[in-house]
Amino acid sequence: MATKTRNNLPSPEASAEVIAHIGPGTRVVGRVSGQEDLRVHGTVEGTVRLAQTLFVEPEGVLLAEVFARDVVVSGTVVGNIHAESAVLLTASARVVGDIRSPRVSVEPGAAFRGAISMEPVDADELAAEATAARSYSRSDTRSASARGALAVGERPVAASNGDARRTPARQQAVRLPPRRAQAFTAAAPAPRTWTTPAPRRFDADPIPPIAAPIVVVQHPAIRSSDDRLRRRSEPLPAASEPSTDAKKLARPRTLPRGKHKVERVD
Amino acid sequence: MATTVIGSSIVIDGEISGEEQLIVHGTVKGRIVVRDALVVENGGLVEATVESASITVNGTIHGDIAASERAELRPSCTVVGDIRAPRILIADGASFKGNVDMGG
């Protein structure tokens, strides 16, 4: 009652029936706005904008950002309160959030955690709201445009990357004589021989005798591990072809050297 | 006091759910789910999907209506949408466009 004279607020008991109110068993999720008083006995989640007084009754729960002329809290409010005129936290109030209002009164017994700013709400608050709204809309448009840009941009980038990855491969493939490429793709174990230096030595030494390396290879194979056996035996099926093919085999061995050099330069 | 009253200048954009009577003088957009009665008063505007036990419309509803008991369209009302209710009363003068499903 003292608040009525001091804060010029209507007391919570005033104007009981006609006022819009949200009952204790009702839950509203979304945006609530209006030009009249509103009493909340139930639950409201979202945003509340009132040109008049908002009452949060003792059983009322407000999980919302509140913009109103006056706010009288007897219940629970989680969220920021912006009041053009005054905010009253009664003894039963439980509030978590920031309060922005030129007049704020907290009765003994009220629970409150947050910041209070009593600077006038008018100009800067509206400006902040406006900028917030703008930035929100902008961020939305940006994000949408960004998504669009990304959606449009990613593909060419990815495609260019893919092309960039593919084109050197194609160029490399083009550099290779087609027969060799086919021969190496056809012979699955052949690429292994590229990386391993061992076959170069052996094939570089005994090019003319094709049958002889079979014998020679078997001897160290008996001594060494199975890996060497495989490596030395791998070029053999390619080498078992006529000697012209053996010359072809010699070329790719020079190519990987060039490749390695290029990679080193890069 | 086990009622909820949405005043004539109140606009709610979202969802209202509750166990008690809901009286709408203002505007509700979105969705209404009420276990008890819903009354849309003269001047009230509901652009929402409505589920309720019984629905009385004096104002305007744009949206589908589902009532578990009955739906009553008073003379001054305007309803655009489908109505599903076991009992439906449409008064002379009521404006209605939509389908009626009485569960038969």
Side-chain angles (χ1 to χ4, degrees), chain B residues 8-65:
Chain B
S8 58
S9 76
I10 302 286
V11 177
I12 293 180
D13 189 350
E15 179 170 348
I16 301 177
S17 56
E19 313 290 324
E20 58 204 4
Q21 190 179 14
L22 174 63
I23 301 172
V24 178
H25 295 267
T27 302
V28 178
K29 299 176 183 176
R31 180 177 160 88
I32 297 175
V33 180
V34 183
R35 293 274 178 84
D36 205 330
L38 167 69
V39 181
V40 180
E41 293 291 359
N42 216 332
L45 171 61
V46 173
E47 296 181 358
T49 304
V50 177
E51 295 178 32
S52 174
S54 77
I55 296 171
T56 305
V57 187
N58 293 300
T60 304
I61 293 182
H62 287 219
D64 295 347
I65 298 170

Side-chain angles (χ1 to χ4, degrees), chain A residues 16 19-36 38 41 50, chain B residues 1-22:
Chain A
I19 275 187
H21 61 274
I22 292 171
T26 299
R27 173 192 182 93
V28 176
V29 180
R31 288 173 293 183
V32 179
S33 58
Q35 310 296 320
E36 61 188 302
L38 176 63
H41 299 263
L50 285 187
Chain B
M1 199 64 159
T3 58
T4 294
V5 180
I6 308 300
S8 58
S9 76
I10 302 286
V11 177
I12 293 180
D13 189 350
E15 179 170 348
I16 301 177
S17 56
E19 313 290 324
E20 58 204 4
Q21 190 179 14
L22 174 63

